Amino acid sequence: MEDDLQTILVSEEQIRQRINELGKEITTAYKQYGELTVIAIINGAIPFTADLIRAIDIPVRLDCMRVSSYRDDTKPVSDPELIDTLRLDIEDRHVILIDDILDTGKTFAHVVKLLKTRKPASLRLAALLEKKGRRKVAVKADYVGFQIPDEFVVGYGLDFAERYRNLRCIGVLKAELQNPPEWR
Ligand code: IMP
Ligand code: MG
């Protein structure tokens, strides 16, 4: 599958190391509370969340939210829309919201607004990747894995037309694979 990439931006080993660092940082910050609630924005955040929570050394309560996929290929087509919501109560809990990538900021902004109505004790944001200079709304992530250039990437949760989420590294697809008509 790696043959489908024109460049690898972040290797499997770099991801592993960085997630261990983030896990330690988060453990240190939240140890005082004895536990942490993690909310993953699925599907993209699944691999990152699965690895990150196992690098955290305090009990984690885990839940997921589903936001409509608003891209048909590599361009956003509309604003994000919530299509499935939380089961866990987050009132008075310390919460970290996780997404695969912080790009325009619209997804985080939308979900944060919603979560705040449920009165968490604190709310921080974690993104595996961040594209600087792409922000359309003011959002800052508290934990970021890697800064990447403004290129459309796939792998480790990030998809092109729902493909390649299972790649172990993160990279840019070869141009000829960016619009196969048979991919629905
Ligand atoms: P934002 O709402 O623009 O910040 O973008 C967040 C969402 O856009 C992520 O959850 C991804 O699903 C998607 N996205 C943004 N950039 C990329 C990319 O380079 N590859 C794949 N998905 C992306
Ligand atoms: Mg996506």
Side-chain angles (χ1 to χ4, degrees):
M1 216 180 5
E2 274 185 33
D3 294 346
D4 293 355
L5 298 178
Q6 109 198 342
T7 38
I8 294 178
L9 290 181
V10 192
S11 72
E12 183 180 358
E13 180 56 20
Q14 286 173 310
I15 295 172
R16 198 187 59 76
Q17 279 185 15
R18 184 69 186 121
I19 286 178
N20 278 334
E21 288 171 11
L22 289 174
K24 288 204 178 89
E25 208 181 308
I26 291 169
T27 304
T28 305
Y30 288 83
K31 217 168 194 152
Q32 55 182 318
Y33 308 123
E35 64 168 43
L36 167 65
T37 301
V38 165
I39 299 172
I41 301 176
I42 56 176
N43 299 324
I46 286 179
F48 178 41
T49 305
D51 287 340
L52 182 62
I53 60 173
R54 286 175 295 172
I56 296 173
D57 196 23
I58 53 170
V60 167
R61 301 162 79 229
L62 173 66
D63 206 348
C64 296
M65 287 175 94
R66 187 180 290 274
V67 175
S68 69
S69 79
Y70 64 100
R71 290 161 182 273
D72 52 1
D73 42 47
T74 62
K75 295 268 182 341
V77 291
S78 67
D79 283 347
E81 199 184 314
L82 193 74
I83 47 184
D84 189 14
T85 189
L86 289 181
R87 268 57 167 178
L88 286 186
D89 183 12
I90 60 163
E91 188 170 338
D92 293 329
R93 309 285 183 157
H94 294 279
V95 177
I96 298 183
L97 176 65
I98 303 188
D99 204 357
D100 49 6
I101 186 165
L102 172 53
D103 184 19
T104 65
K106 286 185 179 180
T107 305
F108 266 145
H110 183 78
V111 178
V112 162
K113 200 167 126 197
L114 220 129
L115 292 182
K116 282 194 171 160
T117 67
R118 296 177 179 236
K119 301 189 167 49
S122 69
L123 178 60
R124 286 184 178 172
L125 307 181
L128 176 68
L129 305 176
E130 176 176 20
K131 287 180 193 167
K132 278 257 166 80
R134 285 266 308 162
R135 224 67 80 241
K136 293 219 169 77
V137 290
V139 177
K140 269 198 68 186
D142 302 279
Y143 302 100
V144 172
F146 303 91
Q147 307 284 348
I148 59 161
D150 181 16
E151 287 188 87
F152 193 85
V153 296
V154 296
Y156 201 76
L158 293 119
D159 68 298
F160 175 76
E162 296 301 329
R163 274 76 169 185
Y164 297 102
R165 293 193 198 273
N166 58 322
L167 249 181
R168 290 167 176 269
C169 60
I170 291 161
V172 179
L173 268 186
K174 286 181 176 159
E176 65 267 29
L177 287 170
Q178 294 205 8
N179 248 327
E182 69 275 19
W183 283 3
R184 302 254 170 272

